[in-house]
Amino acid sequence: MNEQRRQILEMLAEGRITAAEAERLITALERQQPETPPGAESRPRSRPKYLRVLVDAPDGAGEEGGSRVNMRIPLQLLRAGVRLTSLIPPQAVTKVNAELSKSGVEFDLADLKPQHLEELIDHLDEVVIDIDDPEAKVRVFCE
């Protein structure tokens, strides 16, 4: 166990930080990639397993006033959902596309293919989206 992780766990044990804060700190440590010395082999990155969406409530909002979201969506669930779209009858696909269009979402469910999702996941692996808003902070990333 590295020194920084041990310090985070000690702070958690002493009650100086909450479990959620410890999780965020450990996640941040894992996302940091130390620079590899010249000549050292870099090991391949593991495939992401989760899509994370974090929304922190504004300071002072408290539990009642502000929302706090910590979603961890298994990418395998997305993969399974894409595969299930092939089982939807063509008439239902037409109706779903029409309803999506009415709602302003121009998307054809028939165009959703597993290989497209895999390409998206591969690209998401390199993306971290931070949105700082006066009302909240939003982070979307893969881990």
Side-chain angles (χ1 to χ4, degrees):
M1 176 180 336
N2 69 26
E3 182 65 23
Q4 293 170 327
R5 183 181 298 261
R6 187 185 59 73
Q7 288 175 345
I8 292 169
L9 294 175
E10 284 179 3
M11 289 190 301
L12 176 62
E14 294 169 0
R16 296 189 330 203
I17 60 173
T18 66
E21 291 168 329
E23 179 184 7
R24 267 189 259 136
L25 289 170
I26 288 173
T27 300
L29 279 177
E30 290 171 350
R31 294 193 64 76
Q32 291 178 351
Q33 295 203 2
E35 291 186 27
T36 56
E41 290 184 32
S42 63
R43 47 179 201 172
R45 292 179 58 160
S46 62
R47 294 196 56 158
K49 294 181 181 174
Y50 299 98
L51 175 67
R52 290 291 300 264
V53 178
L54 301 173
V55 179
D56 292 328
D59 292 336
E63 292 294 320
E64 295 177 19
S67 62
R68 186 174 196 152
V69 177
N70 183 354
M71 292 188 337
R72 188 175 181 193
I73 305 159
L75 291 175
Q76 195 58 33
L77 180 64
L78 296 176
R79 290 180 182 105
V82 169
R83 285 187 210 106
L84 286 174
T85 59
S86 66
L87 301 175
I88 300 173
Q91 302 87 349
V93 171
T94 304
K95 288 181 182 180
V96 169
N97 288 339
E99 289 300 317
L100 285 171
S101 182
K102 280 184 195 176
S103 299
V105 179
E106 295 300 324
F107 182 77
D108 186 356
L109 202 56
D111 288 340
L112 191 58
K113 305 286 183 227
Q115 62 269 23
H116 297 145
L117 180 63
E118 292 305 319
E119 289 175 22
L120 176 65
I121 290 170
D122 288 343
H123 292 294
L124 281 176
D125 186 30
E126 303 167 3
V127 174
V128 174
I129 302 169
D130 288 328
I131 302 170
D132 286 323
D133 180 287
E135 300 299 319
K137 179 174 181 163
V138 180
R139 293 192 71 212
V140 180
F141 59 94
C142 282
E143 62 178 16

